[in-house]
Amino acid sequence: MDNKVKSQEERGSWGSSFGFIMAAAGSAVGLGNLWKFPYLAGKNGGAVFVVVYLLIVVLVGFTMMLGEMIIGRKTQLDPYGAYKKLNKNWGFLGSIGILTAFLILSYYSVVGGWVIKYIISTLSGSIATDKAAYFSGFIGASVEPLIYHGIFMLLTVAIVFKGISAGIEKASKVMMPALFVMLIIVAVRSITLDGASAGLSYYLKPDFSKFNARVLVDALGQVFFSLSLGMGALITYGSYLKGDENLEKNALIIPGLDTAVALLAGFAVLPAVFAFGFEPGQGPGLMFITLPAVFEAMPLGTVFGVIFFVLVFFAALTSAISLLEVAVSYGIDQRKWSRNKAVTIFASLMFIIGIFASLSMGPMADFHIPLFNKGVFDTLDFFTSNILMPIGGFLMAIFIGYIWGVDEAVAEVRKSPGVSFKLEKFWTILIKYVVPVAIFIVLLSSLGLLDRFLGN
């Protein structure tokens, strides 16, 4: 009994429903919302992509998020322990989620370090005229990116060390509202620029002649990755919930908040990019090359540039703490480690892997991992985003729909006092039939197996 109490103390629990929602939204809101959504909207016809994206959030995002929270709260365990408790042969699926989160944070921390660097560089006005050369010169350096990678990882560790209520919840309750406020400020500035109307029109007026299979697949993939599905984060966060929490309501609110950030990011980025004549579908360079040029050309650009990169930093950090917590919960539940020991061991390993990911942008650029024929950073990104996450999400839908059983999942939602689960039939159809097919399409697309049909 003493060990059980001690383990529960190490695990912790959410202090409030608002705290959980902010933390879960923080897990979902990340760099993907702030650069990838505007870039994909820019590449895929603007408003038509937005319409398709919103539809898929309702169908896939809500369904998957509720499924992960159900498994977490039902078992009160890390992803491995959760699946194993529900079916002793399915612990492997939790292991996939833990491995995914572990590997993602290893290179995500490197990018988080880039964001810290850009806050400082924007504030000091030291970004060179040639933005592309400045960016490639920085990420290709041997030492400086590693220092920022270390700073970002230490900040993540400092929050997770303090546990659920005093660490993750407290930090999320500050960072998420601040992120919204800063994003609204930048969005208002962007849409009031001279020449912003072309960007607004592109973003808000759907031209359905631009709809094609690529728009659908890109929107499907973005919803899946944006909501942090298939990596055990929502199972882990769900495991700290008390039994009276309304899971159905939370599964609607959290994707809603994540989508609001993505849509606001579109307002912050696309009108400004159009106003200054840049290319809206530029890819990852949009954040570190195009936007610094936009802010430089904008009145009070330094102020808005700093605000923008601080909000990006908050988005990255709230995602990072959820990724680290996935591994930490496994250490506490399965290895019986103290929280401090689990955080120290996993964060140290992630930092070491991140060193190689960072160096693969410069000194180790010629080293390719044989099976993938990519550098360390790109291999980690491809393996997690294109293989592990879709497989994890697909198998979770199969597990709930056909192995553990929808009836068991529904019973867990109804367990909360006063919850009637109004969307039960809708959710049941989606988790059994729609979501597995949708994620299977994401997986095929991620592996390049649909390129012939998508006109690539």
Side-chain angles (χ1 to χ4, degrees):
M1 182 67 185
D2 287 345
N3 283 342
K4 192 174 178 184
V5 171
K6 188 182 174 190
S7 174
Q8 198 57 40
E9 283 176 1
E10 287 289 348
R11 293 196 97 250
S13 63
W14 302 110
S16 66
S17 180
F18 176 73
F20 164 69
I21 288 169
M22 287 299 99
S27 170
V29 170
L31 298 174
N33 300 69
L34 297 171
W35 74 259
K36 199 172 182 185
F37 180 84
Y39 144 63
L40 285 174
K43 191 182 89 166
N44 285 295
V48 71
F49 176 84
V50 175
V51 171
V52 174
Y53 180 87
L54 292 173
L55 182 65
I56 295 170
V57 166
V58 173
L59 297 177
V60 177
F62 158 73
T63 309
M64 290 283 292
M65 189 155 283
L66 181 55
E68 291 204 14
M69 286 194 292
I70 288 169
I71 290 170
R73 192 181 73 172
K74 171 73 176 175
T75 59
Q76 300 281 291
L77 287 168
D78 67 283
Y80 171 79
Y83 279 107
K84 194 173 181 189
K85 184 175 180 179
L86 298 176
N87 185 304
K88 65 180 193 304
N89 297 321
W90 279 71
F92 77 92
L93 181 50
S95 301
I96 291 174
I98 295 164
L99 176 64
T100 306
F102 177 87
L103 293 177
I104 287 176
L105 186 51
S106 300
Y107 72 88
Y108 196 86
S109 176
V110 175
V111 182
W114 298 351
V115 177
I116 297 173
K117 162 70 174 177
Y118 267 70
I119 293 171
I120 295 167
S121 297
T122 306
L123 195 57
S124 64
S126 59
I127 300 177
T129 306
D130 187 338
K131 304 292 184 281
Y134 181 83
F135 178 59
S136 59
F138 163 64
I139 66 170
S142 302
V143 178
E144 193 181 10
L146 299 183
I147 294 170
Y148 287 108
H149 163 47
I151 292 169
F152 186 85
M153 188 62 83
L154 282 172
L155 291 169
T156 306
V157 163
I159 294 169
V160 180
F161 258 146
K162 292 184 177 179
I164 299 304
S165 183
I168 295 172
E169 180 173 354
K170 200 170 178 182
S172 300
K173 280 160 81 171
V174 173
M175 286 192 284
M176 286 307 294
L179 183 151
F180 268 101
V181 170
M182 288 187 287
L183 190 49
I184 289 167
I185 290 169
V186 177
V188 168
R189 182 70 196 102
S190 178
I191 63 178
T192 54
L193 288 167
D194 289 339
S197 57
L200 281 173
S201 177
Y202 184 74
Y203 190 48
L204 295 176
K205 290 183 182 173
D207 177 358
F208 288 102
S209 68
K210 292 182 178 175
F211 176 77
N212 55 37
R214 169 51 67 193
V215 172
L216 181 64
V217 169
D218 278 358
L220 201 53
Q222 175 63 8
V223 167
F224 189 76
F225 301 126
S226 177
L227 289 172
S228 303
L229 302 170
M231 62 173 76
L234 270 299
I235 291 176
T236 304
Y237 275 11
S239 75
Y240 301 120
L241 283 170
K242 300 183 178 81
D244 59 353
E245 196 68 39
N246 187 330
L247 297 182
E248 181 184 25
K249 183 183 78 176
N250 290 345
L252 290 166
I253 291 171
I254 295 160
L257 290 172
D258 179 79
T259 304
V261 170
L263 293 173
L264 279 169
F267 281 112
V269 172
L270 290 175
V273 167
F274 271 85
F276 293 102
F278 288 98
E279 174 54 50
Q282 211 210 4
L286 186 68
M287 180 177 289
F288 295 107
I289 299 169
T290 306
L291 287 176
V294 167
F295 291 126
E296 192 177 83
M298 186 188 290
L300 293 177
T302 300
V303 174
F304 291 103
V306 170
I307 291 171
F308 178 79
F309 281 110
V310 169
L311 77 88
V312 172
F313 167 71
F314 282 174
L317 191 57
T318 51
S319 293
I321 56 180
S322 73
L323 292 167
L324 180 53
E325 185 60 31
V326 173
V328 168
S329 70
Y330 168 79
I332 292 169
D333 292 344
Q334 305 303 322
R335 316 304 303 180
K336 306 303 176 192
W337 293 342
S338 68
R339 172 168 288 275
N340 288 358
K341 181 179 179 181
V343 172
T344 303
I345 289 173
F346 286 120
S348 299
L349 291 171
M350 290 168 178
F351 176 71
I352 291 165
I353 295 170
I355 291 173
F356 294 100
S358 181
L359 293 176
S360 70
M361 300 287 182
M364 288 177 58
D366 293 335
F367 173 76
H368 282 196
I369 292 175
L371 184 63
F372 297 92
N373 196 30
K374 298 174 186 288
V376 178
F377 186 103
D378 289 339
T379 296
L380 288 169
D381 183 26
F382 180 84
F383 184 52
T384 53
S385 299
N386 295 45
I387 299 174
L388 292 181
M389 282 176 69
I391 287 174
F394 174 74
L395 291 177
M396 189 206 79
I398 297 298
F399 178 79
I400 292 176
Y402 303 97
I403 309 298
W404 181 43
V406 171
D407 291 346
E408 292 282 350
V410 168
E412 178 61 29
V413 178
R414 290 182 174 278
K415 189 178 86 173
S416 305
V419 173
S420 60
F421 199 5
K422 298 180 182 68
L423 297 173
E424 177 191 335
K425 288 181 181 173
F426 180 63
W427 183 78
T428 300
I429 292 166
L430 290 173
I431 197 76
K432 290 186 78 170
Y433 308 111
V434 178
V435 168
V437 173
I439 298 175
F440 191 63
I441 291 169
V442 171
L443 179 60
L444 293 178
S445 173
S446 295
L447 296 174
L449 299 176
L450 296 182
D451 286 356
R452 224 176 75 196
F453 304 101
L454 298 174
N456 284 6

